Amino acid sequence: MVGRLRRIPKPLCVLLVIAAVEAAAWATALPPLQGPDEIAHLQYTQEIVETPGIPWRSRSGGEPVRYSTEIATAVRWGQLSTLAANPPAHPAWTAVDEDLWRRHDQGLGHRDRADGGWVSALRNPPLYYVYEAVPYLVTYPASIFTREYVMRLANIPLLLVVVASTWLLLGHLFRRSRWLQTVGTAVVTLNPQLTHLAAIVNPDIALAAIWSLALLICVRTAEGGITRGRVAGLAALSAASALTQPRGVPLFLAALLAIGLAWLRARRSAGAPPVLGPVAAWSAAAASVAAAGVIYVWYATRGELSAGPVRQFASYLWQFYLPKLGFLAPNPQSGWTVRDVYIDRFYGTFAQLEVTFPAWLDHLLALGSAAGVVAVVVALVVHRGAVARRRAALAVMAAAALIYILALHAAAWRNILIAPGDPILTGRYLVPLIALFGVCVAMVVSALPRRVAGFAGAAIVSIALVVQFAAIGAVLERFYA
Amino acid sequence: MRKWVLVAYLGGLVAVIAVAAAWALKDRDFPASTAQPPPLFTAPTIPIKPGQAACSNDITVESHSRQMRFQVGTMGKPGPELELTLRWPGAVQRRTQAGGYADNAVLGAEFDPPSEPRLATVCFSNRGRVPAYLFAADGTRPVGREVFGGDVSRSTTTVDGRRIAANVVLSFYEAKPTSILARTSATASRIAVFRPVGTWFVWLLGALFVIGIPAGLAWALLRAAGDDDRV
């Protein structure tokens, strides 16, 4: 065991420690229950522990939101709801505030923990909440604040899975170049949105861990072939993804693609005759894509597959990324753009969404990211020989990203049809693909001459460090200054 | 390669330090406690007629709470004189807000803070001839906005002894602008409240974050560059 631990590359060890420190610092600096929907996620876990059964249900049945007496007492006497999403508010931060809450909390018992009702998180599948039930139980009968804090810290292993999976994926793709592994993993480790999600009770961090690990196994399967362990791993991760968050359901499509590509490669290298001729094979591939597309559109349009709703969805999708064409219908979410999702809320926007970067920093991040996208395209062209050799890995990664992002859009459009005011698609939902963010950075650095690669990689990491510091600074300023 | 890594990383680190120093050293209006922030969704007021008094309890005041801030509407008339009382067990302080202030003015009154945090009661008595409308929050939210946030605070507010649903929007600030760096110690203590960790743990995490992360990154980058150089 000790020998195995010693074999872990030292830069990875350091990055894992950095990730853990970041998450612990954020979990401590963010006042209780100030993460997005954190109160609802806490209540879900509490209901699992305190009441019989799993309270997973798709609809409220019309009942209003109701927190347990214990949580409501913490919210009222800890001044947590007056704090939420309200920048002029500051936390209750003195010992007398804590004493006042404790006086109201001390008489509460099991019944007051078990009397919670409907919260929106109950629509989620239960896997993450079952996981969080462990720290909830371990800290029993400590106060609700202690339980919530330890539940936040329990996300750290999930964050470490993201970091380690990114490292291994980069090692697989870049022939164990320590430099590229370190740079790519460092920008993931320093991404403040990832840290933010690791510091609050929220299933998004579990989804990020599952997808990061699944991407690694998908790429290894597509290039290295099918093994019993890989198939079992992908099956387990696909199930875990679907049982963590509805957004995680499409993972099985990426897994199937990886297994399919590996199977085709194995047949080809074994000299077996093709199952289908080229025309039939391409037709089958096109039919599969079309079938997946129909399922997506069916979901997005709430089952309306006639021309009108489909055109509306396509129009929304086009206008999200590209300028409106004259013949397209107006986009009901025209104020919510690719910049909001891929920049402002992927790097920043924390707590109850009221903590944001200054506009100039968001602007610089947008410019840098746009330059990064161009650089990735250039790198792919420069390395077209290697790209051709690694096309199975690239196809799996690109397909996984596309499958996931299209699912986000389908869910967003479906929601727009119900509640036009809520854009639903936000930057933190992209975090399950964050390992690919590291891959893109490493790809750009790998295309540079050796010396320049050293300089550029270190410069990119130092910029990521600036962004991480700016983020924790924004959180501290919001709540404590 | 290691040389170029070091040059680029140190350049970035200098930028981090410069920006962080400017941020931490900048003097800013510093809060001491927020009893009731402005509401998120609505803007109710509490009318105080001449001779009436409104009181809110469970207001935290602590050693930095020098200036009490609140906002008053007057319906376009010159504001009436107000008597402000701050009371906690064993101490009472009274101040007078002179009349004649503008409609919707944010007013500040200086008090001597307690040496340790206390739960206080704040009263506003109208000594003028026209009503004063204290800006308040009552937790009302539009239909369909079932978001977490925007609730009324824990205080209980009464007008002439009669309990009302709203609380006065009220906060305490330090006497003069100060920097985040000057309040590092107070901030570490404040972060530790409601947490199962002591202030020492906040300091430890802060040190690891501010010093450990940049140093660890530098080491990891140099080590990785060295590993690749050897290949």
Side-chain angles (χ1 to χ4, degrees), chain B residues 7-31:
Chain B
V7 168
Y9 187 73
L10 287 180
L13 207 54
V14 169
V16 172
I17 292 168
V19 173
W23 173 80
L25 291 169
K26 179 185 162 195
D27 281 341
R28 58 191 84 211
D29 200 18
F30 224 90

Side-chain angles (χ1 to χ4, degrees), chain A residues 175-403:
Chain A
R175 309 278 181 225
R176 304 202 183 284
S177 159
R178 283 283 181 265
W179 179 243
L180 297 177
Q181 275 183 295
T182 305
V183 170
T185 310
V187 293
V188 168
T189 306
L190 293 168
N191 180 291
Q193 191 59 264
L194 177 68
T195 317
H196 173 230
L197 291 177
I200 57 174
V201 181
N202 190 307
D204 284 342
I205 188 64
L207 204 60
I210 290 166
W211 275 70
S212 301
L213 190 54
L215 281 167
L216 169 67
I217 301 176
C218 280
V219 167
R220 282 186 172 172
T221 305
E223 290 203 324
I226 299 169
T227 65
R228 223 178 277 172
R230 284 172 184 161
V231 172
L234 287 176
L237 287 169
S238 296
S241 183
L243 285 172
T244 299
Q245 233 287 342
R247 274 181 272 122
V249 170
L251 179 59
F252 79 95
L253 290 173
L256 284 178
L257 178 69
I259 291 168
L261 286 174
W263 181 69
L264 288 174
R265 278 168 71 100
R267 280 184 64 87
R268 196 178 306 151
S269 49
V275 183
L276 300 169
V279 175
W282 280 107
S283 302
S288 304
V289 171
V294 168
I295 293 170
Y296 272 87
V297 174
W298 174 83
Y299 178 75
T301 58
R302 297 166 58 83
E304 295 276 343
L305 284 173
S306 54
V310 174
R311 203 165 43 230
Q312 277 182 332
F313 176 53
S315 165
Y316 147 78
L317 209 50
W318 176 276
Q319 289 177 66
F320 187 82
Y321 292 98
L322 299 164
K324 180 179 179 297
L325 301 176
F327 61 88
L328 295 176
N331 178 8
Q333 283 289 326
S334 56
W336 191 247
T337 63
V338 65
R339 157 79 188 259
D340 294 296
V341 175
Y342 286 81
I343 305 296
D344 298 6
R345 292 203 173 185
F346 175 66
Y347 297 105
T349 311
F350 313 111
Q352 302 276 334
L353 313 181
E354 83 277 25
V355 184
T356 55
F357 284 138
W360 62 267
L361 183 53
D362 276 334
H363 192 60
L364 285 180
L365 287 169
L367 287 176
S369 300
V373 171
V374 173
V376 167
V377 174
V378 171
L380 286 171
V381 173
V382 168
H383 283 316
R384 54 190 176 279
V387 167
R389 284 193 298 279
R390 312 296 299 271
R391 59 185 177 277
L394 281 167
V396 165
M397 290 189 292
L402 199 64
I403 284 165

Side-chain angles (χ1 to χ4, degrees), chain B residues 98-183:
Chain B
Y101 48 86
D103 194 6
N104 300 333
V106 176
L107 303 173
E110 303 280 333
F111 285 92
D112 297 325
S115 56
E116 302 218 318
R118 299 289 185 144
L119 286 177
T121 297
V122 173
C123 291
F124 302 81
S125 302
N126 187 342
R127 300 276 180 251
R129 295 182 176 182
V130 295
Y133 297 87
L134 294 172
F135 276 57
D138 60 8
T140 304
R141 58 193 70 205
V143 176
R145 296 300 302 270
E146 281 190 335
V147 294
F148 177 58
D151 275 342
V152 70
S153 75
R154 68 191 177 201
S155 299
T156 300
T157 298
T158 58
V159 175
D160 276 359
R162 188 170 38 84
R163 186 173 175 170
I164 58 169
N167 282 334
V168 181
V169 171
L170 186 68
S171 53
F172 285 85
Y173 278 76
E174 300 204 12
K176 54 185 181 186
T178 190
S179 69
I180 285 174
L181 189 68
R183 287 290 165 265

Side-chain angles (χ1 to χ4, degrees), chain A residues 30 81 86 93 97 177 450 477, chain B residues 23 32 38 60 151 154 195:
Chain A
L30 265 175
S81 178
N86 198 353
W93 58 31
D97 294 304
S177 159
R450 193 172 173 76
E477 188 174 334
Chain B
W23 173 80
T60 304
D151 275 342
R154 68 191 177 201
R195 296 271 181 242

